[in-house]
mmCIF file with all atom_site columns, all heavy atoms in Angstrom:
data_model
loop_
_atom_site.group_PDB
_atom_site.id
_atom_site.type_symbol
_atom_site.label_atom_id
_atom_site.label_alt_id
_atom_site.label_comp_id
_atom_site.label_asym_id
_atom_site.label_entity_id
_atom_site.label_seq_id
_atom_site.pdbx_PDB_ins_code
_atom_site.Cartn_x
_atom_site.Cartn_y
_atom_site.Cartn_z
_atom_site.occupancy
_atom_site.B_iso_or_equiv
_atom_site.pdbx_formal_charge
_atom_site.auth_seq_id
_atom_site.auth_comp_id
_atom_site.auth_asym_id
_atom_site.auth_atom_id
_atom_site.pdbx_PDB_model_num
ATOM 1   N N   . ALA A 1 37 ? -37.869 23.412 106.509 1.00 0.00 ? 37 ALA A N   1
ATOM 2   C CA  . ALA A 1 37 ? -37.464 24.238 107.651 1.00 0.00 ? 37 ALA A CA  1
ATOM 3   C C   . ALA A 1 37 ? -35.956 24.431 107.734 1.00 0.00 ? 37 ALA A C   1
ATOM 4   O O   . ALA A 1 37 ? -35.477 25.481 108.171 1.00 0.00 ? 37 ALA A O   1
ATOM 5   C CB  . ALA A 1 37 ? -37.969 23.600 108.945 1.00 0.00 ? 37 ALA A CB  1
ATOM 6   N N   . VAL A 1 38 ? -35.185 23.431 107.316 1.00 0.00 ? 38 VAL A N   1
ATOM 7   C CA  . VAL A 1 38 ? -33.731 23.442 107.510 1.00 0.00 ? 38 VAL A CA  1
ATOM 8   C C   . VAL A 1 38 ? -33.008 24.312 106.489 1.00 0.00 ? 38 VAL A C   1
ATOM 9   O O   . VAL A 1 38 ? -32.139 25.124 106.847 1.00 0.00 ? 38 VAL A O   1
ATOM 10  C CB  . VAL A 1 38 ? -33.184 22.000 107.470 1.00 0.00 ? 38 VAL A CB  1
ATOM 11  C CG1 . VAL A 1 38 ? -31.656 22.002 107.393 1.00 0.00 ? 38 VAL A CG1 1
ATOM 12  C CG2 . VAL A 1 38 ? -33.649 21.211 108.685 1.00 0.00 ? 38 VAL A CG2 1
ATOM 13  N N   . LEU A 1 39 ? -33.316 24.168 105.223 1.00 0.00 ? 39 LEU A N   1
ATOM 14  C CA  . LEU A 1 39 ? -32.563 24.871 104.194 1.00 0.00 ? 39 LEU A CA  1
ATOM 15  C C   . LEU A 1 39 ? -32.567 26.391 104.354 1.00 0.00 ? 39 LEU A C   1
ATOM 16  O O   . LEU A 1 39 ? -31.524 27.034 104.137 1.00 0.00 ? 39 LEU A O   1
ATOM 17  C CB  . LEU A 1 39 ? -33.066 24.484 102.793 1.00 0.00 ? 39 LEU A CB  1
ATOM 18  C CG  . LEU A 1 39 ? -32.764 23.040 102.358 1.00 0.00 ? 39 LEU A CG  1
ATOM 19  C CD1 . LEU A 1 39 ? -33.300 22.792 100.948 1.00 0.00 ? 39 LEU A CD1 1
ATOM 20  C CD2 . LEU A 1 39 ? -31.270 22.750 102.408 1.00 0.00 ? 39 LEU A CD2 1
ATOM 21  N N   . PRO A 1 40 ? -33.684 27.015 104.753 1.00 0.00 ? 40 PRO A N   1
ATOM 22  C CA  . PRO A 1 40 ? -33.643 28.478 104.927 1.00 0.00 ? 40 PRO A CA  1
ATOM 23  C C   . PRO A 1 40 ? -32.715 28.944 106.041 1.00 0.00 ? 40 PRO A C   1
ATOM 24  O O   . PRO A 1 40 ? -32.350 30.124 106.089 1.00 0.00 ? 40 PRO A O   1
ATOM 25  C CB  . PRO A 1 40 ? -35.105 28.831 105.252 1.00 0.00 ? 40 PRO A CB  1
ATOM 26  C CG  . PRO A 1 40 ? -35.906 27.733 104.648 1.00 0.00 ? 40 PRO A CG  1
ATOM 27  C CD  . PRO A 1 40 ? -35.071 26.500 104.855 1.00 0.00 ? 40 PRO A CD  1
ATOM 28  N N   . THR A 1 41 ? -32.313 28.033 106.944 1.00 0.00 ? 41 THR A N   1
ATOM 29  C CA  . THR A 1 41 ? -31.422 28.427 108.043 1.00 0.00 ? 41 THR A CA  1
ATOM 30  C C   . THR A 1 41 ? -29.960 28.420 107.625 1.00 0.00 ? 41 THR A C   1
ATOM 31  O O   . THR A 1 41 ? -29.116 28.964 108.347 1.00 0.00 ? 41 THR A O   1
ATOM 32  C CB  . THR A 1 41 ? -31.577 27.495 109.256 1.00 0.00 ? 41 THR A CB  1
ATOM 33  O OG1 . THR A 1 41 ? -31.039 26.188 108.953 1.00 0.00 ? 41 THR A OG1 1
ATOM 34  C CG2 . THR A 1 41 ? -33.028 27.354 109.660 1.00 0.00 ? 41 THR A CG2 1
ATOM 35  N N   . LEU A 1 42 ? -29.653 27.809 106.480 1.00 0.00 ? 42 LEU A N   1
ATOM 36  C CA  . LEU A 1 42 ? -28.257 27.717 106.061 1.00 0.00 ? 42 LEU A CA  1
ATOM 37  C C   . LEU A 1 42 ? -27.743 29.072 105.609 1.00 0.00 ? 42 LEU A C   1
ATOM 38  O O   . LEU A 1 42 ? -28.457 29.841 104.958 1.00 0.00 ? 42 LEU A O   1
ATOM 39  C CB  . LEU A 1 42 ? -28.098 26.699 104.927 1.00 0.00 ? 42 LEU A CB  1
ATOM 40  C CG  . LEU A 1 42 ? -28.399 25.241 105.273 1.00 0.00 ? 42 LEU A CG  1
ATOM 41  C CD1 . LEU A 1 42 ? -28.223 24.370 104.040 1.00 0.00 ? 42 LEU A CD1 1
ATOM 42  C CD2 . LEU A 1 42 ? -27.506 24.754 106.409 1.00 0.00 ? 42 LEU A CD2 1
ATOM 43  N N   . PRO A 1 43 ? -26.498 29.382 105.925 1.00 0.00 ? 43 PRO A N   1
ATOM 44  C CA  . PRO A 1 43 ? -25.919 30.659 105.490 1.00 0.00 ? 43 PRO A CA  1
ATOM 45  C C   . PRO A 1 43 ? -25.650 30.654 103.996 1.00 0.00 ? 43 PRO A C   1
ATOM 46  O O   . PRO A 1 43 ? -25.624 29.600 103.353 1.00 0.00 ? 43 PRO A O   1
ATOM 47  C CB  . PRO A 1 43 ? -24.610 30.735 106.283 1.00 0.00 ? 43 PRO A CB  1
ATOM 48  C CG  . PRO A 1 43 ? -24.244 29.303 106.511 1.00 0.00 ? 43 PRO A CG  1
ATOM 49  C CD  . PRO A 1 43 ? -25.540 28.570 106.715 1.00 0.00 ? 43 PRO A CD  1
ATOM 50  N N   . ALA A 1 44 ? -25.444 31.818 103.449 1.00 0.00 ? 44 ALA A N   1
ATOM 51  C CA  . ALA A 1 44 ? -25.075 31.934 102.039 1.00 0.00 ? 44 ALA A CA  1
ATOM 52  C C   . ALA A 1 44 ? -23.628 31.486 101.894 1.00 0.00 ? 44 ALA A C   1
ATOM 53  O O   . ALA A 1 44 ? -22.711 32.141 102.386 1.00 0.00 ? 44 ALA A O   1
ATOM 54  C CB  . ALA A 1 44 ? -25.250 33.374 101.564 1.00 0.00 ? 44 ALA A CB  1
ATOM 55  N N   . VAL A 1 45 ? -23.415 30.356 101.250 1.00 0.00 ? 45 VAL A N   1
ATOM 56  C CA  . VAL A 1 45 ? -22.075 29.795 101.093 1.00 0.00 ? 45 VAL A CA  1
ATOM 57  C C   . VAL A 1 45 ? -21.808 29.514 99.618  1.00 0.00 ? 45 VAL A C   1
ATOM 58  O O   . VAL A 1 45 ? -22.655 29.765 98.754  1.00 0.00 ? 45 VAL A O   1
ATOM 59  C CB  . VAL A 1 45 ? -21.921 28.493 101.923 1.00 0.00 ? 45 VAL A CB  1
ATOM 60  C CG1 . VAL A 1 45 ? -22.001 28.796 103.407 1.00 0.00 ? 45 VAL A CG1 1
ATOM 61  C CG2 . VAL A 1 45 ? -22.979 27.463 101.523 1.00 0.00 ? 45 VAL A CG2 1
ATOM 62  N N   . HIS A 1 46 ? -20.629 28.992 99.353  1.00 0.00 ? 46 HIS A N   1
ATOM 63  C CA  . HIS A 1 46 ? -20.218 28.689 97.977  1.00 0.00 ? 46 HIS A CA  1
ATOM 64  C C   . HIS A 1 46 ? -21.207 27.744 97.307  1.00 0.00 ? 46 HIS A C   1
ATOM 65  O O   . HIS A 1 46 ? -21.598 27.951 96.152  1.00 0.00 ? 46 HIS A O   1
ATOM 66  C CB  . HIS A 1 46 ? -18.811 28.087 97.997  1.00 0.00 ? 46 HIS A CB  1
ATOM 67  C CG  . HIS A 1 46 ? -18.350 27.558 96.682  1.00 0.00 ? 46 HIS A CG  1
ATOM 68  N ND1 . HIS A 1 46 ? -18.158 28.360 95.576  1.00 0.00 ? 46 HIS A ND1 1
ATOM 69  C CD2 . HIS A 1 46 ? -18.039 26.279 96.282  1.00 0.00 ? 46 HIS A CD2 1
ATOM 70  C CE1 . HIS A 1 46 ? -17.741 27.621 94.555  1.00 0.00 ? 46 HIS A CE1 1
ATOM 71  N NE2 . HIS A 1 46 ? -17.674 26.361 94.951  1.00 0.00 ? 46 HIS A NE2 1
ATOM 72  N N   . GLU A 1 47 ? -21.616 26.675 98.011  1.00 0.00 ? 47 GLU A N   1
ATOM 73  C CA  . GLU A 1 47 ? -22.579 25.738 97.439  1.00 0.00 ? 47 GLU A CA  1
ATOM 74  C C   . GLU A 1 47 ? -23.175 24.861 98.537  1.00 0.00 ? 47 GLU A C   1
ATOM 75  O O   . GLU A 1 47 ? -22.542 24.584 99.561  1.00 0.00 ? 47 GLU A O   1
ATOM 76  C CB  . GLU A 1 47 ? -21.919 24.836 96.376  1.00 0.00 ? 47 GLU A CB  1
ATOM 77  C CG  . GLU A 1 47 ? -20.814 23.949 96.921  1.00 0.00 ? 47 GLU A CG  1
ATOM 78  C CD  . GLU A 1 47 ? -20.062 23.178 95.845  1.00 0.00 ? 47 GLU A CD  1
ATOM 79  O OE1 . GLU A 1 47 ? -20.433 23.273 94.659  1.00 0.00 ? 47 GLU A OE1 1
ATOM 80  O OE2 . GLU A 1 47 ? -19.087 22.477 96.193  1.00 0.00 ? 47 GLU A OE2 1
ATOM 81  N N   . VAL A 1 48 ? -24.426 24.478 98.321  1.00 0.00 ? 48 VAL A N   1
ATOM 82  C CA  . VAL A 1 48 ? -25.085 23.475 99.152  1.00 0.00 ? 48 VAL A CA  1
ATOM 83  C C   . VAL A 1 48 ? -25.391 22.297 98.242  1.00 0.00 ? 48 VAL A C   1
ATOM 84  O O   . VAL A 1 48 ? -26.008 22.457 97.181  1.00 0.00 ? 48 VAL A O   1
ATOM 85  C CB  . VAL A 1 48 ? -26.384 24.011 99.785  1.00 0.00 ? 48 VAL A CB  1
ATOM 86  C CG1 . VAL A 1 48 ? -27.080 22.911 100.589 1.00 0.00 ? 48 VAL A CG1 1
ATOM 87  C CG2 . VAL A 1 48 ? -26.094 25.215 100.674 1.00 0.00 ? 48 VAL A CG2 1
ATOM 88  N N   . ILE A 1 49 ? -24.931 21.117 98.627  1.00 0.00 ? 49 ILE A N   1
ATOM 89  C CA  . ILE A 1 49 ? -25.101 19.913 97.819  1.00 0.00 ? 49 ILE A CA  1
ATOM 90  C C   . ILE A 1 49 ? -26.054 18.968 98.543  1.00 0.00 ? 49 ILE A C   1
ATOM 91  O O   . ILE A 1 49 ? -25.753 18.496 99.643  1.00 0.00 ? 49 ILE A O   1
ATOM 92  C CB  . ILE A 1 49 ? -23.756 19.211 97.564  1.00 0.00 ? 49 ILE A CB  1
ATOM 93  C CG1 . ILE A 1 49 ? -22.784 20.148 96.852  1.00 0.00 ? 49 ILE A CG1 1
ATOM 94  C CG2 . ILE A 1 49 ? -23.960 17.933 96.770  1.00 0.00 ? 49 ILE A CG2 1
ATOM 95  C CD1 . ILE A 1 49 ? -21.376 19.580 96.710  1.00 0.00 ? 49 ILE A CD1 1
ATOM 96  N N   . LEU A 1 50 ? -27.203 18.698 97.949  1.00 0.00 ? 50 LEU A N   1
ATOM 97  C CA  . LEU A 1 50 ? -28.146 17.719 98.484  1.00 0.00 ? 50 LEU A CA  1
ATOM 98  C C   . LEU A 1 50 ? -27.910 16.396 97.766  1.00 0.00 ? 50 LEU A C   1
ATOM 99  O O   . LEU A 1 50 ? -27.939 16.342 96.533  1.00 0.00 ? 50 LEU A O   1
ATOM 100 C CB  . LEU A 1 50 ? -29.586 18.179 98.259  1.00 0.00 ? 50 LEU A CB  1
ATOM 101 C CG  . LEU A 1 50 ? -30.657 17.181 98.697  1.00 0.00 ? 50 LEU A CG  1
ATOM 102 C CD1 . LEU A 1 50 ? -30.839 17.225 100.206 1.00 0.00 ? 50 LEU A CD1 1
ATOM 103 C CD2 . LEU A 1 50 ? -31.986 17.446 97.997  1.00 0.00 ? 50 LEU A CD2 1
ATOM 104 N N   . VAL A 1 51 ? -27.666 15.338 98.538  1.00 0.00 ? 51 VAL A N   1
ATOM 105 C CA  . VAL A 1 51 ? -27.524 14.005 97.950  1.00 0.00 ? 51 VAL A CA  1
ATOM 106 C C   . VAL A 1 51 ? -28.757 13.211 98.349  1.00 0.00 ? 51 VAL A C   1
ATOM 107 O O   . VAL A 1 51 ? -28.934 12.842 99.509  1.00 0.00 ? 51 VAL A O   1
ATOM 108 C CB  . VAL A 1 51 ? -26.241 13.298 98.420  1.00 0.00 ? 51 VAL A CB  1
ATOM 109 C CG1 . VAL A 1 51 ? -26.068 11.980 97.656  1.00 0.00 ? 51 VAL A CG1 1
ATOM 110 C CG2 . VAL A 1 51 ? -25.021 14.187 98.206  1.00 0.00 ? 51 VAL A CG2 1
ATOM 111 N N   . ASP A 1 52 ? -29.616 12.963 97.387  1.00 0.00 ? 52 ASP A N   1
ATOM 112 C CA  . ASP A 1 52 ? -30.896 12.306 97.647  1.00 0.00 ? 52 ASP A CA  1
ATOM 113 C C   . ASP A 1 52 ? -30.757 10.792 97.610  1.00 0.00 ? 52 ASP A C   1
ATOM 114 O O   . ASP A 1 52 ? -30.169 10.233 96.686  1.00 0.00 ? 52 ASP A O   1
ATOM 115 C CB  . ASP A 1 52 ? -31.922 12.763 96.605  1.00 0.00 ? 52 ASP A CB  1
ATOM 116 C CG  . ASP A 1 52 ? -33.255 12.061 96.784  1.00 0.00 ? 52 ASP A CG  1
ATOM 117 O OD1 . ASP A 1 52 ? -33.821 12.155 97.893  1.00 0.00 ? 52 ASP A OD1 1
ATOM 118 O OD2 . ASP A 1 52 ? -33.712 11.402 95.826  1.00 0.00 ? 52 ASP A OD2 1
#
Side-chain angles (χ1 to χ4, degrees):
V38 169
L39 291 181
T41 70
L42 295 179
V45 294
H46 172 64
E47 62 187 357
V48 177
I49 301 173
L50 176 78
V51 186
D52 177 57

